[in-house]
Amino acid sequence: MSENTQRKSLPTDKFLTVAVNLIHKALIEPSRTEAKSLYRDLEERKTVSLTNLRMEDGSMVRFDLSLSSEHYQGRLNFTSFRAGLTMLLSSIAEAIKKPESLKTFASEASDNSVMFGITALTSEEGKPSVLVLGADSGRGGPNVELQLMYLDPSQFEQTAKLESGSASG
């Protein structure tokens, strides 16, 4: 028997709807104690399983979640993480209303990784942090890893300086 490795993809807005709902159900809806326990696993760089979803074609896909926080400015704690996550999920929910405006960025390292062009900018003690959502379907098998990532905020400062420089010129 040969394994069916055909990839099926959802439109970006539908994929993001699934992602927002799964992350919300895992980290926002539960009690603080339950959500904090999951956060601790993420903070320890563990990939946690969220759920198995049956797709429209009947196939099952496992959704996992990971966190990359090395670019967080300051000391990340659960309260700061949850505030940024709430802002990110809200921004994604707003962006889904205009699917034509959704931007994705492909990874140079992997054809199976994508980052969504929706950010949550937070600031703690005057230090900005930028949280984004990515997804990787290249782990083999029918699974998707949702990736919460803090990006280096200096790259956004450079972009803002360039944009404001061209706007005033």
Side-chain angles (χ1 to χ4, degrees):
M1 267 201 256
S2 68
E3 184 180 336
N4 181 2
T5 57
Q6 179 182 356
R7 295 230 176 247
K8 298 168 184 73
S9 64
L10 288 171
T12 302
D13 59 327
K14 288 187 178 11
F15 180 86
L16 284 171
T17 300
V18 169
V20 164
N21 288 330
L22 291 176
I23 294 169
H24 189 274
K25 188 173 181 160
L27 286 161
I28 305 298
E29 258 180 41
S31 71
R32 181 175 176 82
T33 305
E34 290 174 297
K36 196 170 186 177
S37 175
L38 180 63
Y39 165 74
R40 281 194 192 109
D41 287 343
L42 293 170
E43 186 181 39
E44 292 172 5
R45 303 189 67 79
K46 293 178 183 171
T47 299
V48 297
S49 180
L50 294 178
T51 193
N52 291 310
L53 274 186
R54 184 169 306 282
M55 306 310 281
E56 289 176 355
D57 67 356
S59 64
M60 292 294 285
V61 177
R62 188 180 85 223
F63 280 82
D64 298 331
L65 182 65
S66 66
L67 172 65
S68 173
S69 61
E70 60 265 13
H71 291 295
Y72 183 82
Q73 303 295 301
R75 181 163 165 16
L76 185 60
N77 60 43
F78 178 68
T79 302
S80 300
F81 168 74
R82 199 163 174 175
L85 181 62
T86 301
M87 185 181 297
L88 178 63
L89 296 180
S90 175
S91 295
I92 292 171
E94 274 304 304
I96 290 170
K97 294 176 184 174
K98 296 176 257 158
E100 67 282 355
S101 70
L102 293 172
K103 289 185 172 70
T104 58
F105 301 93
S107 167
E108 294 174 7
S110 168
D111 292 339
N112 300 313
S113 290
V114 66
M115 185 171 43
F116 301 97
I118 305 162
T119 61
L121 175 64
T122 57
S123 181
E124 191 170 320
E125 296 178 13
K127 296 177 183 173
S129 290
V130 181
L131 182 63
V132 298
L133 176 66
D136 186 347
S137 60
R139 304 268 186 243
N143 69 304
V144 174
E145 181 181 328
L146 300 174
Q147 301 167 323
L148 294 169
M149 298 175 273
Y150 284 95
L151 302 180
D152 180 356
S154 66
Q155 65 187 335
F156 294 91
E157 292 169 12
Q158 295 297 335
T159 302
K161 285 178 187 169
L162 289 173
E163 288 174 358
S164 67
S166 63
S168 64

